């Protein structure tokens, strides 16, 4: 759902984000009119549909502060174009250039235009002159009356509004709703249902926390700062209505109508004008802050028309943000598409990531499911425009579509809604992605390119990287051969009478802890119908009783492992399996997510339900370069258990003796900064080396450097001589190009397009992020390999790999191969 902007003269914007950043497209026609009384039909736009932005700062509580440079910065005048902005509003309806040849009647002779400002946002109403003539005062009074209702009922930035009185209620204390508010809540119900909860007006508590930490602390919030809000967010669960009564179910719940109230107000204004004037003649056009609804045709006879704006490039946005010049983000030249409204009537609303963007790329729209704000970056959405029969539904759907991390996912969502358009009145959409030329519309006749509009840049300045073939599996396997892999046997079972169950088993070579609050584990898995372990998981993945036991084998148990895997892998009972490996430590977990990745693989994420420590366990069995070796000795203190230990402490004791490869991950932040992080949680599948996974603390300063699905990173394998480099990137995350020798093909042109800086003298894998799972205190990223660069000195070889164990950097070659078993 879309975060509200800050307040204004009457308090603040009532809708999906303050004043219009649109209307800029109208400037082209106004300028053309100065030299030619008949501009081309293409440029005859009545206003521009674009994402809106805040009208005023609104003081300490203003939501714009979340993305402003300073908490007390007032940018309202500049954003509204009241000072130096290049955004201009046409003073009358544009000319009638679509009239038959020879007709030269001016628009202002055919139409009456009512311009003004309501709650910091400019509005425009265009009516036929023969309808409006002599009734101007009545029309003005009708417009004012509708906006007064919006301000007093829906406006979250008016302290005395009805919605704020409800938000101030004590838990479960009922209050009466007005008919106006109840009617809007019914529209919210429909939007919530059609978006499967992605449009949710209860996300405001999340925004308050993010505002504080980003602006005051300069960092994203940690899991503990927002985890309790999961009980406050949820339109159907946290807001209870019966008849005209309403109450809230949680003390932190707050209803924010800013993603739908603006569109609803436009719908109400049209209804009020029709009721007051009766026949509206040839048509009517209403624009408030970039949301538009039109019926009929322009008084000149042409269709009503609106320009859709090209989102500004991210580099330009961040440069303007740094200079306090966001008012220059959109200009008349950014008009890229022309929408022609159907005569039977339609509305358009646009939601975008620009004008309220922060240094790290976070913006004002929240995903209620992940409880995170969306993040602008390579491959993400720049803007969504939705055309529907009502402006409220267009407003809500545009906001909901922006909660998807990629253009393709948003497109699939809108196509699904469009296929059932009779139920919600959706007519079309236009998506503009952050990748150059990434524009999709449902109806080319509805959205037509402007010949004079801004053209997308060439698809890539680094085509040599785009054309890189995927690395061969054998080459990747050779590169990753030095990775030590702690041997774990996994067994699925159904909770209950597990003693007699026959359980499918497998060797797991990528198990790692991925969170301590709650204690969690994860591993990668190759999907295979012929594998009873994978087949059972997929058959039972939605079964609430599904459990997984992971037994960490000791050195000397390789013979038992061979017997397990070479025989019938589904012939053992859980009790017999555990008994045969009785000196092991083991962890039972229940699935939190079993998520498909790519290349026929999946990631398992589970929360622990039971952990068994064993004081008699020996060194871990480690698979290294196709041979079993003994891991480091297990500290007796780590092997012992105590009733005083919680599961977080037990899980740490299970994982501490496992050797982990040390890697350096690099990425390019959306503001162009190069970033690096030493990672000891990188893991891959020996049988599927193109898939990787790693963890990241939610408090890490590296977190803003990682985008969502589609973002690119580089994973560098560190060696004996890299201890200083590893320690450096545990202390800081940003670096300059001159500090490290970067491969020439990953120069400034490449990083400007989101490619990572790849270090020249290290073996590395460039990968693309596929999934991100939030576990509270940790994030789990999975990715797939795009290309690889091998650089292994002959003298060093595979035994020179740097590993991390029990807070110490070691070298894998220092471990001796005790067993020759392959």
């Amino acid at each position: 759902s879309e975060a509200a902007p800050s307040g204004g003269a009457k308090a603040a914007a009532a809708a999906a984000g303050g004043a219009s950043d649109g209307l800029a497209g109208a400037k082209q026609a106004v300028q053309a009119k100065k030299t030619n009384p008949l501009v081309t039909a293409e440029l005859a736009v009545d206003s521009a549909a674009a994402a809106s932005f805040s009208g005023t700062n609104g003081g300490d509580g203003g939501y714009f502060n979340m993305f402003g440079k300073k908490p007390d910065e007032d940018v309202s005048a500049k954003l509204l174009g009241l000072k130096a902005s290049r955004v201009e509003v046409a003073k009358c309806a544009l000319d009638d250039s679509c009239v038959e040849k020879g007709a030269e009647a001016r628009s202002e002779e055919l139409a009456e235009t009512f311009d003004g400002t309501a709650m910091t946002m400019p509005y425009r109403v265009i009516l036929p002159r023969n309808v409006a003539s002599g009734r101007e005062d009545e029309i003005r009074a009708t417009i004012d009356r509708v906006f007064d209702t919006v301000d007093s009922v829906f406006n979250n930035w008016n302290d005395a509004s009805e919605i704020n009185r409800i938000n101030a209620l004590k838990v479960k204390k009922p209050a009466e709703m007005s008919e106006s508010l109840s009617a809007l809540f019914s529209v919210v119900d429909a939007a919530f249902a059609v978006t499967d909860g992605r449009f949710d007006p209860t996300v405001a508590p999340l925004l308050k926390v993010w505002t504080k930490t980003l602006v005051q602390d300069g960092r994203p919030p940690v899991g503990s700062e927002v985890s309790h809000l999961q009980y406050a967010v949820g339109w159907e669960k946290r807001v209870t209505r019966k008849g005209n009564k309403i109450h809230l179910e949680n003390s932190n719940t707050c209803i924010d109508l800013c993603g739908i109230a603006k569109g609803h107000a436009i719908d109400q204004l049209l209804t009020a004008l029709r009721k007051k004037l009766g026949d509206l003649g040839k048509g009517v056009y209403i624009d408030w802050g970039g949301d538009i609804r039109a019926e009929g045709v322009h008084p000149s006879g042409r269709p009503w028309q609106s320009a859709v704006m090209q989102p500004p490039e991210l580099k330009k946005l961040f440069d303007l943000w740094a200079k306090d010049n966001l008012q220059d983000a959109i200009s008349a030249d950014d008009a890229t598409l022309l929408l022609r409204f159907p005569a039977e009537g339609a509305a358009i609303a646009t939601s975008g990531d620009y004008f309220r963007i922060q240094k790290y790329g976070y913006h004002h729209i929240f995903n209620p499911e992940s409880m995170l704000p969306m993040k602008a970056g390579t491959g993400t959405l720049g803007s969504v425009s939705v055309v529907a029969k009502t402006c409220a539904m267009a407003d809500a759907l545009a906001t909901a579509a922006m909660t998807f991390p990629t253009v393709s996912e948003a497109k699939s969502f809108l196509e699904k809604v469009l296929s059932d358009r009779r139920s919600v009145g959706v007519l079309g959409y236009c998506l503009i992605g952050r990748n150059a030329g990434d524009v999709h519309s449902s109806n080319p006749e509805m959205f037509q390119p402007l010949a004079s509009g801004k053209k997308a840049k060439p698809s890539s300045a680094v085509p040599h990287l785009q054309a890189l073939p995927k690395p061969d599996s054998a080459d990747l396997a050779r590169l990753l051969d030095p990775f030590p892999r702690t041997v774990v046997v996994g067994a699925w079972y159904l909770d209950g009478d597990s003693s007699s169950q026959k359980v499918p088993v497998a060797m797991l070579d990528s198990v790692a802890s991925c969170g301590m609050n709650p204690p969690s584990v994860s591993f990668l898995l190759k999907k295979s119908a012929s594998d009873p372990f994978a087949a059972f998981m997929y058959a039972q993945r939605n079964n609430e009783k599904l459990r997984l036991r992971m037994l960490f084998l000791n050195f000397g148990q390789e013979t038992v492992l061979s017997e397990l895997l070479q025989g019938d892998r589904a012939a053992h009972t859980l009790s017999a399996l555990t008994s045969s490996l009785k000196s092991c430590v083991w962890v039972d977990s229940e699935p939190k997510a079993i998520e498909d990745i790519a290349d026929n693989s999946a990631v398992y994420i589970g929360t622990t339900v039971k952990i068994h420590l064993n004081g008699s366990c020996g060194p871990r069995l480690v698979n290294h370069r196709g041979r079993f070796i003994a891991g480091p000795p297990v500290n007796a203190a780590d092997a012992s258990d105590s009733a005083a230990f919680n599961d977080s402490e037990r899980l740490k004791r299970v994982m501490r003796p496992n050797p982990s490869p040390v890697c350096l991950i690099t990425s390019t932040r959306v503001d162009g900064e190069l970033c690096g992080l030493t990672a000891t949680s990188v893991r891959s599948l020996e049988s599927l080396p193109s898939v990787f996974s790693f963890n990241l603390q939610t408090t890490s300063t590296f977190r803003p450097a990682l985008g969502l699905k589609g973002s690119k990173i580089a994973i560098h394998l560190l060696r004996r001589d890299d201890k200083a480099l590893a320690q450096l990137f545990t202390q800081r995350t940003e670096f300059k190009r001159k500090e490290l020798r970067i491969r020439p093909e990953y120069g400034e042109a490449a990083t400007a397009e989101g490619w990572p800086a790849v270090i020249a003298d290290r073996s590395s894998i460039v990968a693309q992020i596929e999934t991100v799972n939030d576990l509270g205190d940790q994030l789990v990223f999975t990715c797939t390999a795009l290309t690889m660069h091998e650089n292994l000195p002959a003298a060093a070889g595979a035994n020179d790999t740097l590993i991390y164990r029990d807070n110490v950097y070691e070298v894998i070659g220092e471990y001796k191969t005790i067993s020759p078993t392959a």
Side-chain angles (χ1 to χ4, degrees):
S1 288
E2 199 160 7
S6 50
K10 283 194 175 183
S20 171
D21 57 350
L23 305 176
K27 182 180 179 186
Q28 287 182 300
V30 174
Q31 290 176 329
K33 192 187 294 186
K34 294 177 181 177
T35 57
N36 185 351
L38 291 179
V39 294
T40 64
E42 183 176 74
L43 291 182
V45 296
D46 300 291
S47 65
S52 306
F53 57 90
S54 178
T56 61
N57 184 289
D60 293 337
Y63 276 5
F64 188 86
N65 288 344
M66 175 180 173
F67 304 112
K69 277 200 73 178
K70 298 181 287 291
D72 57 350
E73 179 184 23
D74 189 348
V75 294
S76 60
K78 290 188 290 185
L79 288 176
L80 279 172
L82 299 180
K83 289 185 179 177
S85 175
R86 294 181 298 183
V87 176
E88 295 181 4
V89 180
K91 294 181 179 177
C92 62
L94 302 182
D95 65 89
D96 52 345
S97 53
C98 292
V99 177
E100 295 179 9
K101 223 174 197 183
E104 297 182 1
R106 304 293 302 210
S107 296
E108 52 264 42
E109 297 174 1
L110 299 173
E112 192 74 38
T113 301
F114 299 84
D115 287 326
T117 300
M119 286 157 282
T120 78
M121 293 183 291
Y123 66 78
R124 159 170 293 181
V125 178
I126 306 175
L127 290 163
R129 176 153 291 188
N130 63 341
V131 171
S133 182
R135 307 188 69 178
E136 291 85 354
D137 291 344
E138 293 178 74
I139 293 170
R140 287 280 183 194
T142 300
I143 295 171
D144 290 344
R145 187 167 57 254
V146 170
F147 285 132
D148 284 344
T149 300
V150 171
D151 183 42
S152 64
V153 178
F154 310 137
N155 190 354
N156 284 94
W157 298 105
N158 179 353
D159 291 338
S161 68
E162 182 178 354
I163 190 63
N164 275 339
R165 291 198 302 273
I166 290 173
N167 285 335
L169 291 173
K170 292 183 178 180
V171 176
K172 296 186 181 296
K173 182 178 180 180
E176 289 189 6
M177 295 180 290
S178 66
E179 291 184 8
S180 297
L181 187 59
S182 181
L184 178 52
F185 281 169
S186 296
V187 181
V188 172
D189 290 338
F192 183 88
V194 77
T195 63
D196 293 327
R198 282 189 174 265
F199 178 81
D200 190 326
T202 63
V203 296
L206 296 171
L207 184 63
K208 291 178 181 178
V209 175
W210 277 82
T211 299
K212 177 183 180 298
T213 57
L214 277 178
V215 175
Q216 297 181 16
D217 304 332
R219 61 168 176 80
V222 300
S224 60
E225 292 172 311
V226 294
S227 59
H228 66 289
L229 296 179
Q230 63 183 302
Y231 306 107
V233 175
W235 174 248
E236 289 187 333
K237 294 181 178 179
R238 313 304 175 197
V239 180
T240 300
R241 290 151 38 223
K242 293 181 180 179
N244 69 338
K245 299 285 188 180
I246 183 172
H247 70 262
L248 307 179
E249 301 287 351
N250 186 280
S251 60
N252 289 310
T253 298
C254 181
I255 303 171
D256 184 346
L257 299 173
C258 298
I260 196 169
K262 183 168 63 169
H264 182 68
I266 292 171
D267 295 332
Q268 295 303 300
L269 180 53
L270 178 59
T271 299
L273 289 172
R274 186 181 289 115
K275 183 176 180 180
K276 171 59 69 175
L277 302 175
D279 183 12
L280 297 178
K282 285 189 174 183
V284 59
Y285 185 94
I286 303 172
D287 176 345
W288 186 31
D291 285 2
I292 302 162
R293 184 166 174 181
E295 283 190 357
V297 296
H298 185 276
S300 66
R302 66 167 169 82
W304 293 113
Q305 300 180 145
S306 173
V308 177
M309 312 303 282
Q310 174 76 30
E313 298 173 6
L314 287 176
K315 185 178 186 306
K316 176 182 177 181
L317 270 183
F318 290 122
D319 288 345
L320 292 173
W321 178 87
K323 298 174 183 176
D324 299 337
N325 286 329
L326 278 175
Q327 77 276 5
D328 292 336
I330 289 284
S331 72
D333 295 335
D334 293 305
T336 187
L337 294 170
L338 182 71
L339 168 67
R340 290 188 170 95
F341 286 87
E344 59 270 23
I348 183 172
T350 298
S351 184
D353 63 9
Y354 46 103
F355 280 112
R356 284 195 302 274
I357 198 162
Q358 199 262 355
K359 181 180 179 182
Y360 297 141
Y362 298 109
H363 57 86
H364 62 295
I365 297 172
F366 276 71
N367 182 338
E369 183 177 1
S370 67
M371 295 184 32
L372 294 171
M374 301 309 294
K375 193 168 184 284
T378 305
T380 63
L381 277 165
S383 73
V384 178
S385 297
V386 174
V387 180
K389 291 183 179 179
T390 66
C391 204
M393 189 55 68
D395 210 354
L397 285 169
T399 299
M402 282 295 295
T403 66
F404 288 92
T406 64
V407 174
S408 60
E409 290 174 87
K411 183 178 179 181
S412 297
F413 162 72
L414 288 173
E415 282 291 339
K416 179 182 176 183
V417 175
L418 192 61
S419 66
D420 192 27
R421 58 186 180 274
R422 288 173 298 178
S423 62
V424 293
V426 180
L427 305 175
Y429 65 83
C430 174
L431 306 173
I432 303 180
R434 279 281 159 212
N435 290 340
D438 197 6
V439 179
H440 304 266
S441 68
S442 59
N443 187 341
E445 294 182 0
M446 181 180 288
F447 293 96
Q448 298 186 5
L450 276 165
S452 56
K454 179 168 283 189
K455 300 297 186 294
K457 285 188 174 182
S459 59
S460 175
V462 283
H464 59 285
L465 294 180
Q466 298 284 4
L468 284 172
K470 274 197 170 185
D472 183 77
S473 292
D475 292 336
L476 275 172
R478 184 183 67 254
L479 190 70
L480 297 174
D481 195 35
F483 270 27
R485 306 171 189 273
T486 300
V487 178
V488 179
V489 168
W492 291 115
Y493 68 95
L494 295 178
D495 191 28
D497 184 16
S498 59
S499 59
S500 60
Q501 289 181 33
K502 297 292 182 67
V503 295
V505 298
M507 186 173 82
L508 309 178
D509 60 3
S510 61
V511 174
S513 59
C514 57
M516 293 297 165
N517 187 25
S520 306
V521 291
S522 71
F523 62 88
L524 297 167
L525 180 72
K526 185 176 181 180
K527 298 185 294 183
S528 173
S530 62
D531 184 339
F533 185 84
F536 181 83
M537 178 187 75
Y538 274 85
Q540 304 287 339
R541 67 191 302 177
N542 295 319
N543 191 322
E544 294 180 357
K545 294 184 177 181
L546 184 63
R547 296 288 186 271
L548 173 66
R549 178 161 295 179
M550 289 167 285
L551 299 104
F552 291 73
L553 269 62
N554 302 325
F555 178 74
Q557 293 180 323
E558 54 270 25
T559 303
V560 179
L561 175 67
S562 178
E563 293 173 354
L564 286 173
L565 300 183
Q566 290 180 9
D568 183 353
R569 293 175 56 192
H572 307 275
T573 65
L574 186 65
S575 57
L577 176 66
T578 305
S579 177
S580 65
L581 299 170
K582 58 184 177 181
S583 62
C584 293
V585 299
W586 49 261
V587 176
D588 281 1
S589 68
E590 58 183 6
K592 180 174 181 179
I594 301 174
E595 191 165 352
D596 296 341
I597 309 172
D599 296 336
N600 202 35
S601 61
V603 60
Y604 169 89
I605 298 173
T607 53
T608 62
V609 292
K610 188 175 182 180
I611 298 175
H612 172 74
L613 296 174
N614 193 321
S616 62
C617 67
R620 297 286 158 80
L621 184 66
V622 176
N623 175 16
H624 179 239
R625 304 186 68 195
R627 302 171 82 79
F628 290 128
I629 67 172
V634 177
N635 188 311
D638 284 340
S640 61
D641 200 354
S642 167
F645 296 161
N646 58 25
D647 275 358
S648 293
E649 176 60 28
R650 289 190 176 92
L651 186 58
K652 290 177 183 177
R653 290 168 177 263
V654 169
M655 297 297 177
R656 200 173 287 150
N658 300 332
S660 302
V662 181
C663 299
L664 174 63
I665 298 177
T666 59
S667 69
T668 302
R669 208 164 60 197
V670 289
D671 57 358
E673 293 288 343
L674 305 182
C675 298
L677 175 76
T678 299
T680 59
S681 62
V682 176
R683 49 201 183 274
S684 71
L685 278 172
E686 186 177 31
S687 59
L688 196 62
S690 61
V691 180
F692 301 85
S693 182
F694 64 92
N695 308 334
L696 183 72
Q697 288 186 349
T698 54
T699 55
S700 171
T701 54
F702 189 69
R703 177 183 176 184
L706 293 173
L708 301 172
K709 182 177 181 180
S711 300
K712 301 177 183 68
I713 62 171
I715 303 172
H716 302 80
L717 282 63
L718 300 189
R719 302 191 299 266
R720 181 192 301 270
D721 297 334
D722 292 326
K723 290 183 181 180
L725 184 65
Q727 290 169 342
L728 174 65
F729 283 100
T730 61
Q731 299 164 8
R732 63 181 173 111
T733 56
E734 294 182 5
F735 67 94
K736 302 299 180 185
R737 187 174 295 274
K738 62 183 180 181
E739 294 183 70
L740 299 171
R741 195 161 68 89
I742 306 300
R743 297 182 68 94
E745 60 266 47
Y746 296 91
E748 292 185 4
T751 53
E753 291 192 17
W755 290 85
V758 179
I759 302 175
D761 52 356
R762 302 293 188 283
S763 293
S764 58
I765 297 168
V766 178
Q768 175 175 286
I769 293 175
E770 300 292 346
T771 64
V772 184
N773 285 276
D774 187 352
L775 300 181
D777 63 336
Q778 296 268 342
L779 299 168
V780 178
F781 291 81
T782 61
C783 49
T784 53
L786 297 176
T787 191
M788 61 173 274
H789 304 283
E790 190 169 10
N791 189 336
L792 275 177
N799 288 329
D800 209 26
T801 301
L802 190 66
I803 65 169
Y804 184 80
R805 180 193 65 87
D806 201 10
N807 299 318
V808 177
Y809 290 113
E810 299 176 337
V811 177
I812 190 66
E814 296 170 357
Y815 293 173
K816 294 181 180 180
T817 302
I818 302 177
S819 168
T821 307

